[in-house]
Amino acid sequence: NVTLQLACTVAVPGCGTADAGADAGADAGADAGADAGADAGADAGADAGTDAGLAITCDSATVVGVDTATNMPPSVVADATGAVHVAWYQYGADWSRASARKRSPDGVWETSSTVISSDAGGVWPLLRADGLGNTYAVWDATSGGNLQFWFSRRTATGPWAAPIAVGAPTMYSTGRVFGMGANGNGVVAWDNRGTSLWYNVRAITYDPDAGWG
């Protein structure tokens, strides 16, 4: 099985290394303090360099998916409150589902992930956020051999809403992309092949008051 982990890597000269920070700070301090005295400048620079070299820390990797099913590529977004949301899909021999989990602004993950898709299943979820604290998810599900996309929304303080199907199922829908503006207006676009061999680009818009149309 494959589990989903989230980690961060920050490349900063001297990060976590007092000696490297001290050396860099000493050099800079010596140059800046040459007129006032190289020794005093070097000492001050070394102290500042040591502090700067230890200022940034990173979280260790956290398993946010489950280890009882295969977890496929995630989508990640930060909302306007500073919370981080991760969504992914899981599948088995005859099922699939889209799931999500939230990390609060103070760094606490929700106790468990939430299945955001319906009984129709769900693959390839995409997350977006507006400037009002809302988070949005769209994903694909199979319907009668065709693909249809589904949608759910979460406010800053609430749970994910019940998923809704958007549009009619279409053949060979691929390459779905999702954009969301700061005011909550969004658009989903995708490639679609109908009964001919030609692919067309289709798009549908979202209005927070009127919904999809």
Side-chain angles (χ1 to χ4, degrees), residues 128-191:
R128 298 293 183 267
D130 61 23
L132 307 174
N134 302 306
T135 305
Y136 306 83
V138 299
W139 62 91
D140 289 328
T142 302
S143 177
N146 296 321
L147 284 177
Q148 183 171 28
F149 89 83
W150 290 69
F151 167 79
S152 183
R153 172 177 174 268
R154 180 176 189 170
T155 65
T157 58
W160 287 98
I164 60 172
V166 180
T170 53
M171 295 176 61
Y172 304 107
S173 296
T174 62
R176 196 177 307 281
V177 292
F178 181 24
M180 178 60 62
N183 60 357
N185 291 305
V187 61
V188 171
W190 67 97
D191 293 329

Side-chain angles (χ1 to χ4, degrees), residues 7-89:
C8 68
T9 302
V10 180
V12 178
C15 178
T17 306
D19 291 341
D23 291 342
D27 291 341
D31 291 340
D35 292 340
D39 291 340
D43 291 342
D47 292 340
T50 300
D51 293 340
L54 295 173
I56 298 176
T57 59
C58 295
D59 294 337
S60 58
T62 299
V63 177
V64 298
V66 297
D67 58 6
T68 58
T70 297
N71 298 265
M72 295 299 286
S75 179
V76 180
V77 71
D79 66 28
T81 70
V84 175
H85 304 260
V86 182
W88 64 95
Y89 78 90

